Structure formats: C-alpha cells, structure tokens
Amino acid sequence: MTGWHVDAWDPAYGTSFEAPAGPAAQSSAQVDASVEMPAGAWAPRTAPDGLAAPDVVLLVDGVRRNDASLWSREDDGMSYPGLAASYAAGVVRCDLRRGAAEVAGAAVRRGLFTASPTGADIVAGQIRYLLHQVSPPGELAKLPVAVQPQLTALEVDVSNAARTDGDLLIVDGPLRNRRQLPRALGYIKTQHSQYLDAREQAVVTSLRAKERSPVFRLGTAWGGWSWYLRLPGPTGAPWAGIVRVECSAELSDVEAVELADLSLVTLPRFASTPYKDPRAPQNLIPIAGLERRLRAMLGDARLLHRALTMTTARRAADTTR
C-alpha cells in the first residue's frame, strides 16, 4: 500500500501573475493571413447588416485548484510526488429571446495525479481523490499539467449535455481538443503571443468596439481559424478590450468567416464593465458568474487540506504498526 505525506506549503503559493497588456512574445507559428482578404489589404471588418445573434448561447468554463502536494513512500524505498487537485466545469445557458441566463449544468471532480506505480485512490472522509497515473518521472512541477486534460473532458461532458440545435458554444480559452464540437468558438481573453506581422497587428490595435480583424489561419499544433475583435469598454491602451477568437480547422474558410461575423454580434453583448469586474471587458459577465459558482463548489481548501493530512497520517501510522 502506498503511503503519502502532505507537504505543509500552501499549494497555491506563487501561482499568481500579472497578465501583460498585450502579446509580448513573437510566435513561431506559420500564419496564413490571406484567408478573407489579401494580407496587404487588411482592414477592420464589421458585421453584415441584419445579422442577429443566435437565440441560445452556451458559455462553458472550468476552474481548478491544487489542494495538496504529496510524496509517496514505496516499499522499495523510492518516493514519488503526487498532486491532489479539485476541478469543476459548468455551462451557462443564455436565452437571448427571453433575456434569461441560468447554469445548465455543473460538475466537480477530484483527482490524485502521480507516477507512483502502486498509487491508489485517496478517501478523505466523504471525499475521494481518484487516481490518475502519469508517465514517469512525474516531477511535482509538471503534475498540474496533467489536470488540464481531465478538466477539458469534464467541460466537454457538461456542455454536450446542455446543447440544443442551432445554439452557439463559447469556450473560455483555446478550443484545443474540443475542436470536434459543432458551432464552437474558443475565446482567448489574454494575449501572450504575437501571431501577426507589424502591418497586420496595426490593423488589430486600430479596431474600434464591435469591429474585428480579417480571419487568418494558424499553423500551430492545434491549428484552426482565428481572428481578433474589440469589445465595447474603456479605450486607451492599444490592446484594451481586444480578444482572440478561434474555430475548428475542419471548417471551410467560408464557414469560419460566418462564425467570425456571428461572434461580432454575440460576444459584445456579454462584455463586463470595470466597476463590476477588474478584468473588464474581456471577462464575460456569464463566465465571471459561473467561475464564482464553480469555485464555491470546490469546497473549502483548508478543510480539504486538513482532511488529506489526517487521512495520510493515519495510513502512515497503520503501516508502521
């Protein structure tokens, strides 16, 4: 039986960072900027006259938290790091015809992520952390990365359960391996990389509220069509209110442009305001509310840490008797 010791440090220590005001690093991705119009003729785009947002918009998001860092005690004297993590995903259903929004589904999962060959689930009171084996050596610093695929799968499950014909799904963050979802947009509110050259980037920073850039294609590992748009809100900094949106590479260029136009009449409706949200306008109102709901569902971090500490201590005492 594997024994564990809970690290006394707060697992969230050092995770906060100040997001840059705009993309700082040049991406090495190949970009085709001549999808919607020639790259040299780039200009801001507006939505076609008469285009309306879909009747139903679904916004999906997930949150995660590191509850405890652990170390195993193996029978052969070896020790492996482990991470006890909680994560939750939910979807907000916005009925634009009725002007109503509600949480259409939400779920919480907890996992133990480790490369320990003899690891097993940890049950702390009424809470179970399901074992997720990672490939050796499974360094502690890399274990949080292993949580993301499980969170993504949970986001797909809750969003699929809430979908109806003709809706539009907006995922908070890149689509990544959710590109198979129909009528889905990835919503990237923080820009870390520069994908465009100086001339095209100048078009992006010149956008006015409710304007977008032409669609371009990214040759990254995940690929896909992408574009920038500016949400309504305070102006000043070149990248204020600008978000990047993407859709599946499996779509045609015509379908991608149609979704780009649809995003232009949909996303601005959900833009937040500075007096309500310090990440305004990019942190969409339904997403902000959903995040608060999901974080509450994760439970009290201090109680979970204490429960894990007590459980592993009892196991250690039992094995030494």
Side-chain angles (χ1 to χ4, degrees):
M1 179 178 67
T2 303
W4 294 96
H5 168 71
V6 177
D7 196 308
W9 279 31
D10 181 347
Y13 180 80
T15 58
S16 298
F17 67 96
E18 186 69 24
Q26 183 67 46
S27 172
S28 60
Q30 295 295 315
V31 175
D32 180 4
S34 301
V35 175
E36 191 173 358
M37 60 175 55
W42 262 38
R45 309 288 288 171
T46 57
D49 292 340
L51 181 64
D55 291 337
V56 175
V57 179
L58 301 177
L59 297 99
V60 62
D61 193 18
V63 299
R64 48 190 282 188
R65 186 185 66 208
N66 299 341
D67 292 338
S69 301
L70 306 95
W71 291 90
S72 73
R73 293 184 299 271
E74 307 292 334
D75 292 338
D76 60 2
M78 291 290 291
S79 182
Y80 293 87
L83 175 65
S86 296
Y87 50 99
V91 57
V92 178
R93 184 181 189 274
C94 299
D95 188 328
L96 301 186
R97 292 169 301 179
R98 298 189 298 114
E102 60 181 357
V103 176
V108 177
R109 298 288 185 272
R110 306 186 199 276
L112 170 63
F113 299 83
T114 181
S116 167
T118 61
D121 297 355
I122 291 182
V123 179
Q126 301 298 313
I127 303 298
R128 178 181 293 271
Y129 287 83
L130 296 177
L131 175 69
H132 294 279
Q133 287 292 160
V134 302
S135 300
E139 299 99 324
L140 182 60
K142 296 182 179 179
L143 290 179
V145 178
V147 183
Q148 188 59 45
Q150 300 300 322
L151 176 56
T152 298
L154 187 58
E155 290 178 357
V156 171
D157 288 344
V158 298
S159 58
N160 282 343
R163 300 213 69 174
T164 56
D165 292 340
D167 63 18
L168 178 67
L169 179 68
I170 299 172
V171 174
D172 190 46
L175 285 176
R176 294 195 175 96
N177 56 349
R178 293 167 288 200
R179 294 182 180 276
Q180 78 282 3
L181 300 175
R183 289 173 63 82
L185 298 178
Y187 177 81
I188 300 92
K189 56 179 174 279
T190 302
Q191 313 308 317
H192 295 291
S193 299
Q194 296 179 10
Y195 295 108
L196 305 173
D197 64 24
R199 180 170 50 187
E200 295 149 1
Q201 189 162 283
V203 173
V204 174
T205 55
S206 72
L207 294 174
R208 295 182 296 180
K210 301 183 181 181
E211 289 184 340
R212 66 170 178 85
S213 75
V215 173
F216 57 95
R217 182 157 188 155
L218 281 175
T220 61
W222 293 106
W225 308 103
S226 192
W227 58 93
Y228 293 95
L229 65 82
R230 192 187 293 272
L231 298 170
T235 59
W239 288 86
I242 288 181
V243 298
R244 185 171 67 84
V245 189
E246 61 182 25
C247 64
S248 174
E250 297 178 3
L251 301 174
S252 68
D253 55 350
V254 173
E255 291 171 319
V257 170
E258 289 176 349
L259 279 177
D261 286 336
L262 196 61
S263 73
L264 204 50
V265 297
T266 303
L267 291 172
R269 301 174 66 116
F270 303 117
S272 52
T273 53
Y275 75 91
K276 289 185 177 180
D277 194 321
R279 292 179 290 172
Q282 286 98 322
N283 200 38
L284 303 181
I285 293 172
I287 292 294
L290 179 60
E291 285 179 345
R292 289 192 294 270
R293 171 79 170 271
L294 295 177
R295 293 192 189 284
M297 292 175 63
L298 293 182
D300 190 305
R302 294 169 299 178
L303 293 179
L304 288 169
H305 192 277
R306 185 183 307 165
L308 284 165
T309 301
M310 294 175 63
T311 297
T312 53
R314 283 197 299 268
R315 286 190 178 182
D318 290 344
T319 57
T320 56
R321 290 174 182 171

